[in-house]
Amino acid sequence: MWTSEVDNPETRSTYQYVLDLRERLEETCALARSELQESSERYKKYYNRKAKSRKFKPGVGQSHEVKRVLSKFTDVLTDVPGKTDVSKCDIKLTTDKPIKAKPYPVPLSMRDSLQEEVRKMIDMGVIEPSNSPYSSPVVLVPKPDGTKRFCVDYRKLNKVTTYEAEPMQTMTEIFSELSNDKYFSRIDLTKGYWQVEMTQSAKEKTAFVTPDGLWQFKTMPFGLVGAPAVFTRLMRTILRDVPNVVNYLDDILIHTETWMSIRVFGVVFQTLREAD
C-alpha cells in the first residue's frame, strides 16, 4: 500500500475511499470556517450599529500622579523575581518511594536553548545542582513568539502528591466585585512562583534531569499540582488588609469607583515591598 503496488482490488478501493473521505472532510471544514466567518461579520455589524467610537486619554495631572508613585518603588518594579519569607512551598507525598521518570530525548538543535534556560535559572538563584533520588523529565515547548518555554513534566510526582484544598476565587466572584468600579489597574508579578522558596525537604523532590546533569529547584517551580494553592494562600495573606484589590494567582487588579486608585497603588506596592 505504501509503495503504491497494491494487487488486491478490494484493498485498493478501501484505500481510495479513505483518501476521498479525507478530502471531503477537509472541504467540509473549510466551508464551515467560511460560513462561521461570514456569520461573525454579519453579527458584528448588527451589534455594533449603535456603538460609538471612544478614545480614552489620561489627564495630564493623573499621568504625573502615576509616574510620581511609580518612581518611589523602582526596587519593586523589576523583571528579576524577588524572594518572600511570608510562606514556603512544601511537597507531601503518599509514598516514601522516590519518583523517577525516564528523561525525554532532547534534539541536538535544542541543546543550546536548554543550556541557556538552565543558565538563566542558575543566575537568578532559582535552581541548584542536585544528587536527589527523584528525577522528572524536561521539555521545551514553543511559544507564540518563536522562543522556547522550559517545562518540567511533574505528572508522575503529582500523582502521589497530597492535594491542598486552598479555595480559589472564580471569575464570577471576581467580576461581581467590580460591578460599580470605573478605574482598573492590573499588576503582573514577575515569575510569581519563583518568588516562593521551597522547604528543605521538598527541594529534592523537584529534581529534574537534563543532558548536562541533575538539578533541583530552590524556589517553587511551575507544574506542581499544589503550586496554585500555595500561591493563592500567599497572596491572600499578603493582600488581606488592602482594600479595592482582587487577585487571581500572580495577577493583581486594583479597582475603584473614583481616581482614589492612585492611593491604592502606593499601598499595594508598599505591601509587596514588605513581603519581599
Side-chain angles (χ1 to χ4, degrees):
M1 182 180 293
W2 299 111
T3 60
S4 300
E5 297 176 358
V6 182
D7 296 327
N8 191 329
E10 183 177 352
T11 303
R12 183 188 299 276
S13 62
T14 303
Y15 182 56
Q16 187 60 46
Y17 170 78
V18 173
L19 293 179
D20 292 342
L21 180 61
R22 178 182 175 182
E23 291 179 2
R24 291 173 185 173
L25 288 174
E26 289 178 348
E27 292 174 359
T28 302
C29 290
L31 180 61
R33 284 194 294 267
S34 176
E35 289 295 327
L36 285 173
Q37 182 65 29
E38 292 180 8
S39 176
S40 176
E41 291 296 330
R42 287 197 300 270
Y43 279 112
K44 183 178 179 181
K45 291 179 181 179
Y46 175 79
Y47 287 109
N48 288 350
R49 68 188 190 282
K50 294 183 179 180
K52 297 180 181 180
S53 177
R54 293 180 173 87
K55 294 183 179 179
F56 297 92
K57 295 183 179 180
V60 176
Q62 293 174 337
S63 179
H64 286 322
E65 282 187 79
V66 172
K67 291 179 180 178
R68 179 175 53 80
V69 172
L70 296 181
S71 65
K72 296 180 179 179
F73 297 95
T74 54
D75 58 316
V76 178
L77 301 171
T78 172
D79 58 356
V80 179
K83 300 291 186 299
T84 182
D85 57 1
V86 175
S87 66
K88 293 187 177 184
C89 176
D90 193 19
I91 302 176
K92 297 179 181 179
L93 306 180
T94 59
T95 177
D96 294 329
K97 183 180 179 181
I99 304 302
K100 186 176 182 180
K102 183 179 179 181
Y104 300 142
V106 179
L108 191 60
S109 60
M110 302 179 75
R111 291 283 181 89
D112 290 343
S113 298
L114 181 59
Q115 290 174 345
E116 178 65 15
E117 291 297 324
V118 170
R119 184 191 63 77
K120 288 180 181 178
M121 290 189 288
I122 293 174
D123 292 343
M124 286 189 288
V126 173
I127 63 173
E128 62 186 2
S130 175
N131 56 3
S132 169
Y134 292 79
S135 175
S136 295
V138 301
V139 291
L140 289 177
V141 181
K143 294 195 290 187
D145 61 2
T147 59
K148 300 292 190 300
R149 184 189 302 277
F150 179 91
C151 302
V152 182
D153 187 353
Y154 284 122
R155 284 179 293 181
K156 282 192 173 183
L157 182 69
N158 288 337
K159 286 182 179 180
V160 296
T161 300
T162 302
Y163 183 77
E164 296 192 41
E166 180 72 23
M168 294 178 62
Q169 274 191 303
T170 64
M171 289 296 102
T172 302
E173 292 172 334
I174 292 176
F175 287 139
S176 66
E177 295 187 37
L178 314 179
S179 57
N180 297 320
D181 296 317
K182 300 176 182 178
Y183 294 86
F184 304 94
S185 303
R186 185 174 71 90
I187 301 171
D188 186 8
L189 300 180
T190 301
K191 296 179 174 59
Y193 281 17
W194 287 0
Q195 300 192 40
V196 183
E197 294 184 337
M198 302 297 297
T199 62
Q200 195 61 37
S201 61
K203 289 181 180 180
E204 67 172 11
K205 298 169 187 174
T206 67
F208 61 91
V209 64
T210 73
D212 298 316
L214 190 67
W215 310 86
Q216 65 186 27
F217 276 90
K218 299 165 64 177
T219 58
M220 187 168 69
F222 300 92
L224 294 179
V225 68
V230 172
F231 200 81
T232 297
R233 186 186 306 113
L234 169 67
M235 296 306 297
R236 182 173 285 125
T237 301
I238 293 175
L239 300 174
R240 177 171 290 131
D241 298 325
V242 182
N244 300 96
V245 170
V246 295
N247 81 283
Y248 187 79
L249 294 178
D250 60 350
D251 285 319
I252 300 173
L253 182 66
I254 300 173
H255 57 97
T256 57
E257 195 171 351
T258 64
W259 181 239
M260 68 168 287
S261 60
I262 193 65
R263 302 176 188 171
V264 184
F265 254 115
V267 176
V268 171
F269 287 139
Q270 181 60 36
T271 302
L272 294 176
R273 174 186 281 167
E274 293 172 356
D276 195 356

